[in-house]
Each structure stands twice: as C-alpha cells, then as structure tokens.
C-alpha cells in the first residue's frame, strides 16, 4: 500500500529542492501518495492564507510531511509558519544529525554529531510587547513538561542508537530560573539512564569548543534558540547548510525538512543543493521502515560525492540542482546492481 505524505514545496529554493527530492524518491520504487499543499508566501498569493486549512487537514490525515523552507519576514509581518506548524502538531523534538559525507573537503573529517533541539517554546513563544515607547519585552517560556519531554527523547535516542554521551547546553549561570529549570529536568532524566555519560556545558564556551574540536561532543540537547544557532554552526563542519537534514517529531506526527531556509539569493537559478532535503527524505524513509530504499539513496549520495563530478556550487562544484539529482538517480541503479 502507498504511504500517504503531505508535500509542502515552500518558498525560494523550496520548489527546486523538493522537485529533485521527489524525483529521487520516485526512482526508488517506494509507493508514495503525495498530497501537495503549499504554505507560506507562495500559498498566500494563491489562497490568501499562509497556512491553508487544506494543509492542516492534509497533515491531520497523513500524520507525515516533507517540507521545503518557508520565508519568514524579518522584524515585522506574519509570525513564522514553521514555528506555527511545529506548535500546531506538537512536533516537540527537532532532530538534526550532522554527519560528514565522503570526499567533501571540510576542516574536520568524519564528524558525527546529533543535535536534539526543543521545538515548541523558549524565545520562540513569540510573546513580545512594547512596555512603554522604546522598551520591548520578549518572554522566554521554559516549562518542566517540555524540558522533560525533550530530555527523555534525547536519552531514548542515545540508548537506542548506542550514542557515546549526551551534553546538555545551557546558560543557567545567567538565566538561573529558566535555563536552571531546563537543566534540572535534563539532570533528573539522566539519572534514569546511568549507562549514558552525561555532561553540562555553557552555550558560549560550547561554540568555541565545537570550533576547536567537534569530536569532544556526541549528542547535544538544548533549548529552541540555542539549537537553532548551534545547528548552523555545526552545518559548517560537514560542508554547509546545503547538506544538513532535520526531522520535527511528535507523538503520531512528523514533518521532515532541511535545516536551511529559502535562500532567496540563489532561488530560481537551479543552483541549490538538494542534499539537505534529500537526507531529510532518507530520515523519513527510515521512519516509514523503508530501510532498503533509504540505504540505496544514501549509498548513491556517497557515490556521487566520491565521484566529485556533479557537486553543486556551495560545495565547490559547478553542477545545478537538476544535474545533481540526475546523477543520484543514475548512481542508485549502479549501487543496486552492486548490492
Ligand atoms: P538560508 O538558510 O536560506 O541561507 C543561508 C545561506 O546558505 C545563503 O547564502 C544560501 O544561499 C545558503 N544555502 C541555504 N540552503 C542552501 C542549499 N540548499 N544549497 C546551497 N546553498 C544554500 O538562511 P537565511 O538567508 O537566513 O533565511 C532565508 C529565509 O528562510 C528567511 O525568511 C528565514 O526566516 C527562512 N528560514 C526558513 C526555515 C524553514 O523553513 N525551516 C529555516 C531557516 C530559515
């Protein structure tokens, strides 16, 4: 039976990387029944809604989404559609594996980090108001419920995947109550997993330590904003934002999307690297237990990067989105013959 998946192409480079990814998924032979409904600026132009009712209904039906990036205006305009979707479907865990691909020249080889980011609260609560002219207050919400839930997610993942250790990243030296609560929840959950080494690190020092030596970390769990920033920093270890996938996971619903945004600087030019969304789709296939197809795409991805002939510009090549996707499809046949 075909898997039902809601497909959200998004804005900017979203439609290009989505098209490439869907072509590759279709070449695996896995049967997917796509329900395509857009959100964001492109949806607004057509329907007058940033999150069309049809999209909510589709995700409620499928419980599964593959999503391109959505542009969010800076310093005004509508609130983030991404944050709204994560909250609406209680996608409380943002899971971002940062793993080196072969043959890409980066400062550090063989990086294998995992970022587990709380996805529903913190500074992203979006509660801001002007107290008096010239003074604005923003509320950072930290709850025991969400902090415990994300800590448990991180430890369960680490136990299942036999990860080496967990580091909780915080600023509890300054934000004693809010980050203090987050840290207390992590500490309490850590006690239930005595076999997993657990440590706590202050966010600013963590940034420096990561850049000096990323191998000293393994799985990092943190609040929403810290996770957003650290994800981009760590993306640089493996070749940049064009590569890093992500999953927004809740109980009974999941939306897979790249870490990167809509990249307006290269949109519509067939220049974007589709690897990040493709790797997000590989995570989705594993979630659907389509392990053989996921392995085949990953093997083709590794082979394509090893060949160095079809790299996109962000990783030092000259190929476009379409040519890169063509190479993956061709290599999927080659790896299928070998295996
Ligand atoms: P961005 O991630 O869109 O771009 C940052 C830099 O990375 C740009 O130079 C861009 O060209 C490059 N880049 C990103 N993805 C790439 C890819 N696949 N291939 C090659 N190069 C790539 O971040 P920026 O410019 O800060 O944000 C643009 C818009 O995207 C904003 O409106 C932001 O709010 C939104 N955004 C949406 C996200 C989502 O939908 N999940 C996540 C992050 C940002």
């Amino acid at each position: 039976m075909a898997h039902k998946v809601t497909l959200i192409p998004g804005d900017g480079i979203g439609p290009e990387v989505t098209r490439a990814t869907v072509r590759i998924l279709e070449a695996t032979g896995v049967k997917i029944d796509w329900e395509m409904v857009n959100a964001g600026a492109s949806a607004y132009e057509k329907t007058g809604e940033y999150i069309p009712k049809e999209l909510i209904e589709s995700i409620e039906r499928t419980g599964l989404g593959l999503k391109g990036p959505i542009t969010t205006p800076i310093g005004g305009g509508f609130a983030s559609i991404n944050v709204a979707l994560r909250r609406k479907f209680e996608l409380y865990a943002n899971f971002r594996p940062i793993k080196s691909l072969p043959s890409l020249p980066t400062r550090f080889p063989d990086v294998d980090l995992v970022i587990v980011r709380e996805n529903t609260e913190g500074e992203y609560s979006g509660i801001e108001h002007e107290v008096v002219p010239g003074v604005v207050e923003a509320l950072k919400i930290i709850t025991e419920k969400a902090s415990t839930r994300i800590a448990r997610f991180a430890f369960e993942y680490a136990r299942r995947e036999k990860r080496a250790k967990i580091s909780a990243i915080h600023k509890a030296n300054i934000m004693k109550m809010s980050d203090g609560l987050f840290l207390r929840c992590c500490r309490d959950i850590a006690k239930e997993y005595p076999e997993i080494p657990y440590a706590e690190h202050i966010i600013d020092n963590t940034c420096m330590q990561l850049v000096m030596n990323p191998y000293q970390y393994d799985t990092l769990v943190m609040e929403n904003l810290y996770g957003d920033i650290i994800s981009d920093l760590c993306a640089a270890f493996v070749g940049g934002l064009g590569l890093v996938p992500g999953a927004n996971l809740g109980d009974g619903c999941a939306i897979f999307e790249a870490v990167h945004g809509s990249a307006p600087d290269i949109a519509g030019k067939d220049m974007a690297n589709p690897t990040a969304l493709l790797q997000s789709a590989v995570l989705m296939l594993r979630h659907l237990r389509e392990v053989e197809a996921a392995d085949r795409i990953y093997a083709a991805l590794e082979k394509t990067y090893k060949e160095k002939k079809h790299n996109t510009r962000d990783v030092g090549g000259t190929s476009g989105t379409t040519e890169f996707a063509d190479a993956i499809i061709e290599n999927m046949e080659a790896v299928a013959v070998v295996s």
Side-chain angles (χ1 to χ4, degrees):
M1 218 175 63
H3 303 287
K4 279 191 182 308
V5 180
T6 304
L7 183 68
I8 310 156
D11 300 320
I13 59 169
E16 298 163 66
V17 292
T18 307
R19 208 175 307 122
T21 301
V22 167
R23 277 178 56 217
I24 296 164
L25 285 178
E26 285 180 348
T28 63
V30 170
K31 298 225 170 330
I32 299 179
D33 187 358
W34 299 104
E35 292 192 8
M36 189 158 93
V37 198
N38 217 349
S42 332
Y44 187 78
E45 279 168 26
K46 275 200 190 149
T47 64
E49 289 177 295
Y50 286 106
I51 306 185
K53 213 164 45 276
E54 216 189 326
L55 174 63
I56 301 294
E57 286 166 3
S58 173
I59 299 175
E60 277 170 353
R61 208 166 30 243
T62 62
L64 200 57
L66 182 65
K67 174 183 164 296
I70 292 175
T71 302
T72 305
I74 292 175
F78 62 85
S80 168
I81 308 295
N82 303 308
V83 174
L85 283 176
R86 291 167 192 169
R87 282 229 213 98
K88 164 83 190 155
F89 293 102
E90 280 228 45
L91 304 171
Y92 61 87
N94 193 188
F95 172 78
R96 294 173 159 181
I98 315 269
K99 195 164 165 32
S100 301
L101 277 159
S103 308
L104 270 182
T106 52
R107 222 173 281 264
F108 298 98
D110 301 323
V111 169
D112 182 7
L113 294 166
V114 170
I115 293 169
V116 176
R117 165 189 177 194
E118 202 293 317
N119 221 7
T120 58
E121 55 180 31
E123 285 85 348
Y124 287 64
S125 310
I127 309 169
E128 295 184 314
H129 61 269
E130 191 173 51
V131 184
V132 290
V135 182
V136 168
E137 214 171 54
L139 297 186
K140 163 171 169 165
I141 309 287
I142 298 294
T143 64
E144 188 177 313
K145 181 183 167 208
S147 305
T148 302
R149 189 166 63 172
I150 197 68
R152 186 165 302 286
F153 176 94
F155 277 92
E156 277 297 312
Y157 165 76
R159 176 176 276 174
R160 198 173 57 245
E161 299 298 321
K162 303 196 175 18
R163 301 293 306 195
K165 57 182 163 184
I166 291 195
S167 307
I169 310 302
H170 67 94
K171 189 75 185 174
N173 50 328
I174 303 296
M175 279 163 275
K176 294 178 194 296
M177 287 186 74
S178 52
D179 284 27
L181 172 59
F182 180 82
L183 216 47
R184 263 200 314 283
C185 295
C186 289
R187 220 173 273 165
D188 285 348
I189 295 293
K191 289 186 194 131
E192 297 178 29
Y193 300 79
E195 79 280 15
I196 303 170
Y198 168 73
E200 295 165 355
H201 302 271
I202 295 176
I203 175 82
D204 36 353
N205 178 34
T206 303
C207 291
M208 193 270 297
Q209 295 291 348
L210 273 166
V211 174
M212 295 280 281
N213 173 15
Y215 306 112
Q216 56 188 314
Y217 295 96
D218 184 276
T219 300
L220 301 96
V221 60
M222 62 199 91
E223 291 166 20
N224 210 334
L225 177 63
Y226 306 151
D228 194 4
I229 297 168
I230 294 273
S231 297
D232 277 31
L233 187 155
C234 289
F237 293 139
V238 297
L241 283 168
L243 296 146
V244 181
N248 300 290
L249 304 166
D251 299 326
C253 185
I255 298 182
F256 294 82
E257 65 176 335
V259 169
H260 66 71
S262 56
D265 51 338
I266 55 166
K269 298 179 179 161
D270 194 44
M271 275 169 70
N273 188 345
T275 303
L277 189 66
L278 181 61
Q279 293 214 80
S280 309
V282 167
L283 292 177
M284 183 181 83
L285 287 176
R286 296 199 189 286
H287 176 85
L288 289 170
R289 311 250 186 284
E290 294 286 359
V291 178
E292 194 270 334
D295 286 348
R296 198 140 50 89
I297 294 180
Y298 197 78
L301 197 57
E302 285 191 322
K303 184 168 166 23
T304 308
Y305 275 113
K306 266 192 201 134
E307 289 169 353
K308 298 188 177 137
K309 284 189 302 199
H310 304 286
N311 287 6
T312 46
R313 285 167 200 270
D314 56 314
V315 289
T318 53
S319 295
T321 315
T322 314
E323 186 187 324
F324 182 82
D326 289 343
I328 300 273
I329 291 169
E330 208 176 305
N331 278 334
M332 264 177 10
E333 280 161 30
V335 293
V337 170
V338 170
S339 58

